[in-house]
């Protein structure tokens, strides 16, 4: 595959007002993606755009709009809305393209541009490469004539539409009445829709992270800082806490005691409930190489399989589509339920866990530990350049570690997709052995870095 100049593992991302996250690049994205998705026939073409609450959204959104309108695409603006909502609305409004302006769980200083095709799925690598090629053309190429310019409108009911879609995923014969729920929206895209959806389903809601000011998204709150949610759960004696990230496509949960439940345990809760009800498709779950070995063993003990992919929710989704799976995700809290959504949706995943909790008539603390996690250790080694993973000594150190674990553990060594780091992860039943194996591989990588 050709080297990508703008797109990374999840759209274009970077610090606001520094390349590639500048108004000029956003303008070029609008021009290029507009040309690519407009070129099929001569009807009016439509792009929908959502964003999170970052200050830089005010810079990136108008630049994208200018690009799309100048090549003749009509634009509908949603304002702050979760990433999964933009994916859904792209499909339900029969748009040719959906755009989300967000850097997900990152600090406010970053921003990103994610693109969805008319089917609501993230674009393929091939489509992203075509957009990159068009981005490097002259800005005067392929512009619409004065009468052919795109029209731009705000969509006032986007949030209400998404709330109704979310509520429809919860079992009809159930209600959240009697449940006390803390919801941490990370001062992000779900700050209005998530508390409202839970309230309309009957819960007593204690919102947190619902006062965005442009610079406080994900700051000491949300799924990357679940301690804020856990503290409030204990304070209000709530039944459960739900923490979303800045664009609400991932979540972590905590039980009534404030104990945090990660994405692996959330997948386990939903998988076993679905399997029992005959709703789990393809006989298992898709997760990444980073998911705990304990999850794999739990699936096997229940006659289910765990298929692993590379890190990134788009790779999980691709495997789910290929294999017909309806549940997949990442340890970090991306949980994809393809019966309802084309990408991770923290709020919908939370509702599935709440449904299990109500059905089983058990507190969250009795559900939150579906398996005992196998001891896991992750270390990062920074490297200056070159290909340390191709060095003979590193290959030998990994092979030696695997033979020491002797089938009772796993080793994953991979370069980071976003930084010059080698990530070294090992897990196994003996924590001392895991530590020794990781230390040995770290030393080998450092020696050639």
């Amino acid at each position: 595959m050709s080297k990508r100049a703008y797109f990374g593992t999840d759209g274009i991302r970077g610090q606001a007002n520094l390349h590639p996250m500048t108004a000029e690049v956003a303008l070029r994205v609008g021009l290029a993606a507009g040309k690519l998705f407009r070129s099929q026939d001569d009807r009016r073409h439509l792009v929908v755009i959502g964003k999170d609450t970052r200050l830089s959204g005010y810079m990136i959104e108008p630049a994208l709009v200018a690009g799309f309108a100048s090549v003749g695409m009509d634009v509908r603006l949603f304002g702050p809305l979760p990433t999964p909502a933009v994916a859904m609305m792209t499909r339900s409004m029969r748009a040719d393209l959906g755009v989300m302006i967000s850097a997900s769980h990152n600090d406010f200083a970053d921003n990103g541009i994610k693109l969805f095709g008319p089917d609501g799925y993230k674009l393929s690598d091939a489509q992203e490469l075509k957009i990159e090629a068009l981005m490097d053309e002259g800005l005067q190429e392929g512009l619409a004539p004065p009468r052919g310019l795109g029209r731009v409108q705000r969509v006032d009911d986007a949030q209400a539409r998404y709330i109704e879609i979310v509520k429809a995923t919860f079992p009809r014969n159930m209600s959240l009445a009697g449940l006390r729920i803390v919801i941490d929206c990370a001062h992000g895209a779900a700050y209005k829709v998530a508390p409202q959806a839970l309230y309309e389903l009957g819960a007593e809601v204690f919102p947190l992270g619902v006062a965005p000011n442009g610079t406080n998204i994900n700051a000491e709150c949300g799924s990357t800082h679940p301690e804020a949610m856990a503290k409030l759960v204990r304070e209000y004696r709530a039944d459960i806490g739900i923490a979303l990230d800045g664009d609400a496509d991932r979540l972590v949960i905590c039980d009534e005691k404030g104990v945090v439940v990660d994405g692996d345990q959330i997948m386990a809760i939903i998988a076993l409930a679905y399997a029992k009800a005959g709703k789990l498709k393809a006989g298992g779950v898709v997760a990444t190489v980073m998911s705990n070995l304990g999850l794999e063993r739990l699936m096997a003990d229940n006659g289910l399989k765990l298929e692993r992919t590379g890190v990134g929710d788009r790779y999980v989704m691709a495997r789910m589509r290929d294999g017909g799976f309806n549940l997949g995700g990442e340890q970090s809290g991306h949980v994809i339920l393809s019966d309802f959504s084309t990408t991770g949706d923290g709020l919908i995943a939370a509702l599935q866990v709440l449904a299990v909790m109500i059905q089983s008539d058990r507190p969250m603390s009795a559900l939150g530990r579906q398996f005992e996690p196998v001891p896991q250790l992750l270390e990062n080694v920074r490297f200056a350049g070159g290909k340390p993973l191709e060095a003979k000594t590193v290959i030998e150190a990994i092979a030696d570690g695997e033979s020491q674990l002797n089938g009772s553990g796993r080793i994953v060594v991979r370069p980071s997709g976003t930084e010059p780091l080698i990530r070294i992860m090992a897990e196994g039943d003996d924590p001392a052995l895991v530590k020794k194996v990781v230390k040995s591989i770290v030393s080998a990588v450092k020696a050639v870095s």
Side-chain angles (χ1 to χ4, degrees):
M1 191 179 74
S2 314
K3 176 113 176 84
R4 290 131 71 89
Y6 299 100
F7 286 92
T9 51
D10 193 15
I12 301 172
R13 197 175 287 192
Q15 192 172 330
N17 244 5
L18 290 177
H19 186 83
M21 205 34 59
T22 61
E24 188 211 344
V25 170
L27 175 71
R28 287 181 179 277
V29 171
L31 286 163
K35 286 176 205 170
L36 185 66
F37 282 83
R38 188 206 61 190
S39 56
Q40 297 143 13
D41 51 49
D42 60 1
R43 64 183 169 80
R44 298 298 299 180
H45 287 77
L46 177 67
V47 57
V48 296
I49 303 178
K51 61 180 179 179
D52 64 23
T53 56
R54 288 163 216 268
L55 183 60
S56 54
Y58 290 109
M59 170 187 77
I60 302 213
E61 184 184 65
L64 281 165
V65 169
F68 284 121
S70 67
V71 293
M73 281 195 99
D74 291 338
V75 185
R76 299 289 178 271
L77 300 173
F78 295 145
L81 202 65
T83 291
V86 173
M88 288 171 185
M89 303 284 269
T90 303
R91 196 158 63 172
S92 75
M93 290 178 68
R94 292 178 62 191
D96 298 280
L97 189 64
V99 184
M100 179 65 185
I101 304 164
S102 175
S104 195
H105 57 282
N106 288 28
D107 177 71
F108 91 93
D110 292 342
N111 215 330
I113 299 170
K114 302 181 195 186
L115 302 176
F116 295 94
D119 56 2
Y121 290 96
K122 288 178 181 173
L123 299 189
S124 67
D125 290 338
Q127 286 171 312
E128 288 179 350
L129 282 168
K130 281 181 187 171
I131 290 170
E132 289 203 351
L134 288 166
M135 281 171 71
D136 291 332
E137 280 186 1
L139 293 176
Q140 303 302 315
E141 303 293 321
L143 299 182
R147 279 185 187 278
L149 291 170
R151 294 177 182 272
V152 185
Q153 287 176 278
R154 289 212 163 273
V155 178
D156 294 326
D157 67 343
Q159 293 183 339
R161 287 175 71 159
Y162 176 63
I163 288 168
E164 290 307 316
I165 291 168
V166 165
K167 283 162 56 184
T169 69
F170 193 65
R172 278 191 177 197
N173 57 342
M174 272 189 210
S175 160
L176 297 179
L179 286 180
R180 295 162 67 86
I181 300 175
V182 168
I183 175 79
D184 181 351
C185 301
H187 299 299
Y191 79 101
K192 282 186 180 173
V193 293
Q196 189 65 28
L198 293 170
Y199 172 78
E200 290 182 14
L201 286 166
E204 189 179 353
V205 182
F206 301 93
L208 176 66
V210 290
N213 63 13
T215 61
N216 61 358
I217 189 169
N218 300 315
E220 303 305 315
C221 59
S223 63
T224 46
H225 301 279
E227 50 282 358
M229 158 190 68
K231 182 171 177 276
L232 217 58
V233 164
R234 290 190 294 265
E235 218 170 280
Y236 290 135
R237 299 189 311 283
D239 297 292
I240 189 172
I242 300 159
L244 306 172
D245 68 338
D247 68 336
D249 66 351
R250 67 162 80 177
L251 83 159
V252 297
I253 282 172
C254 79
D255 67 21
E256 74 280 7
K257 298 171 184 173
V259 176
V260 172
V261 179
D262 70 8
D264 283 348
Q265 299 284 0
I266 292 167
M267 281 191 281
I269 293 166
I270 299 170
L272 295 186
Y274 273 23
K276 192 177 171 187
K279 290 195 297 186
L280 190 69
K281 294 175 186 166
V285 176
V286 179
T288 76
V289 291
M290 301 309 282
S291 275
N292 196 278
L293 184 58
L295 176 62
E296 190 172 319
R297 289 175 178 173
L298 177 75
M299 293 294 109
D301 290 346
N302 285 274
L304 303 170
K305 60 188 171 188
L306 181 78
E307 292 210 3
R308 294 185 184 269
T309 71
V311 174
D313 63 320
R314 63 190 295 201
Y315 302 114
V316 173
M317 187 74 241
R319 180 69 201 107
M320 287 172 69
R321 290 179 83 182
D322 288 347
F325 294 85
N326 64 340
L327 173 61
E330 297 187 281
Q331 193 180 52
S332 60
H334 277 122
V335 178
I336 304 172
L337 296 144
S338 62
D339 291 342
F340 309 120
S341 182
T342 54
T343 187
D345 190 313
L347 190 50
I348 289 177
L351 287 178
Q352 298 304 299
V353 172
L354 283 162
V356 176
M357 198 170 125
I358 294 164
Q359 242 159 357
S360 66
D361 198 23
R362 293 162 77 196
M364 192 62 216
S365 56
L367 291 173
R369 212 162 175 84
Q370 293 282 324
F371 62 88
E372 206 52 47
V374 171
Q376 195 177 67
L377 183 63
L378 171 68
E379 283 201 29
N380 296 322
V381 179
R382 196 162 285 277
F383 67 101
K387 296 182 176 176
L389 296 188
E390 292 178 14
K392 186 168 180 277
T393 49
V394 173
I395 293 165
E396 285 170 355
I398 295 169
D400 181 52
E402 282 172 339
S403 77
Q404 286 187 64
L405 287 171
N406 193 24
S408 69
R410 292 188 313 126
I411 296 171
V412 179
V413 182
R414 65 183 186 90
S416 161
T418 52
E419 302 172 82
L421 296 174
I422 300 295
R423 302 196 191 280
I424 297 153
M425 190 276 281
E427 59 182 354
D429 298 311
D430 178 352
L433 179 58
V434 167
K435 192 173 179 182
K436 183 184 162 198
V437 164
V438 169
K439 195 175 170 188
S440 165
I441 299 169
V442 165
S443 300
V445 172
K446 280 181 175 172
V448 297
S449 296

